[in-house]
């Protein structure tokens, strides 16, 4: 995705006539502290309207599962970019199967943005008081599907000799990935 991101950005003006510039800044929503965004590109359409462009590389078989619309997580990512950058529209540009460009344009959706702002504000307020976030319905369903054999009983791992090493390995892997 990162390798082809530039190619997608470079190809869009040929199809649309828009100006496309690589975004290099981190944007924070002034109405919602800690709601941030790193769009892939800043764009200007042929009428001079500024917007954002988020790019994705999508396998053709995966794209066929979309049934004409991108997954909600991608649409919400575009809405978050729109809110943080302060523009009125955005585009999800998808390179499908490595050779077909699909563009999905979205206007600013105040209702969706308001819900994200509320959820983010609640999340950080909970973190400040040490309250663990609730599992959402989607999270719980995904976890049950991935781990159907897991029971809901609490287990005590304080005497597990392998747990500290496993935790250290996860933290080291996360640090390497960040680097």
């Amino acid at each position: 995705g990162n390798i082809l991101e530039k190619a997608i950005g470079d190809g869009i003006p040929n199809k649309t006539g828009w100006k496309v510039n690589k975004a290099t800044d981190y944007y924070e929503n002034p109405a919602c502290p800690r709601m941030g965004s790193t769009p892939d590109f800043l764009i200007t359409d042929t009428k001079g309207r500024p917007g954002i462009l988020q790019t994705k590389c999508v396998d053709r078989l995966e794209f066929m599962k979309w049934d004409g619309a991108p997954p909600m997580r991608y649409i919400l990512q575009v809405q978050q970019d729109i809110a943080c950058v302060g523009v009125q529209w955005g585009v999800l540009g998808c390179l499908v199967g490595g050779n077909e460009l699909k563009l999905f344009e979205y206007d600013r959706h105040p209702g969706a943005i308001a819900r994200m702002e509320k959820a983010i504000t609640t999340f950080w307020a909970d973190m400040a008081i040490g309250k663990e976030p609730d599992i959402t319905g989607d999270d719980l369903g995904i976890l049950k599907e991935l781990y159907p054999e897991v029971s809901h009983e609490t287990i005590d791992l304080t005497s597990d000799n392998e747990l500290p090493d496993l935790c250290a390995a996860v933290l080291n892997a996360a640090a390497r990935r960040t680097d």
Side-chain angles (χ1 to χ4, degrees):
N2 289 335
I3 293 170
L4 293 176
E5 180 179 286
K6 183 181 180 330
I8 298 168
D10 289 347
I12 286 177
N14 296 333
K15 186 171 184 169
T16 63
W18 301 337
K19 292 179 185 171
V20 177
N21 295 301
K22 179 67 181 144
T24 57
D25 294 330
Y26 174 80
Y27 297 87
E28 192 168 288
N29 182 345
C32 181
R34 298 177 102 170
M35 179 178 181
S37 164
T38 53
D40 294 329
F41 297 92
L42 302 177
I43 58 176
T44 305
D45 72 6
T46 57
K47 297 175 186 172
R49 289 185 318 148
I52 64 89
L53 169 64
Q54 193 59 247
T55 61
K56 303 291 179 200
C57 293
V58 184
D59 178 80
R60 185 160 306 283
L61 293 175
E62 183 64 29
F63 182 76
M64 291 170 57
K65 296 177 190 174
W66 287 11
D67 199 26
M72 186 57 67
R73 66 183 179 274
Y74 294 158
I75 297 169
L76 291 176
Q77 183 180 15
V78 169
Q79 289 298 322
Q80 183 158 333
D81 289 348
I82 288 169
C84 293
V85 175
V87 294
Q88 297 300 311
W89 73 293
V91 177
L92 179 64
C94 301
L95 183 62
V96 179
N99 62 0
E100 183 180 6
L101 182 62
K102 295 283 190 178
L103 302 176
F104 300 89
E105 292 185 43
Y106 298 97
D107 289 328
R108 181 184 195 95
H109 193 289
I113 292 169
R115 286 186 67 184
M116 285 189 285
E117 290 171 344
K118 182 178 180 196
I120 290 166
T121 300
T122 299
F123 173 84
W124 286 113
D126 287 348
M127 291 293 100
I129 61 171
K131 180 181 178 214
E132 187 173 318
D134 295 330
I135 293 178
T136 68
D138 290 344
D139 293 341
L140 186 57
I142 291 168
L143 291 172
K144 284 181 176 178
E145 187 176 321
L146 288 173
Y147 305 104
E149 71 284 355
V150 174
S151 70
H152 296 286
E153 66 187 65
T154 302
I155 59 172
D156 181 2
L157 295 174
T158 55
S159 63
D160 187 317
N161 292 335
E162 293 181 46
L163 188 59
D165 291 338
L166 291 172
C167 291
V170 168
L171 292 173
N172 287 333
R176 283 193 310 275
R177 181 175 178 206
T178 300
D179 288 345

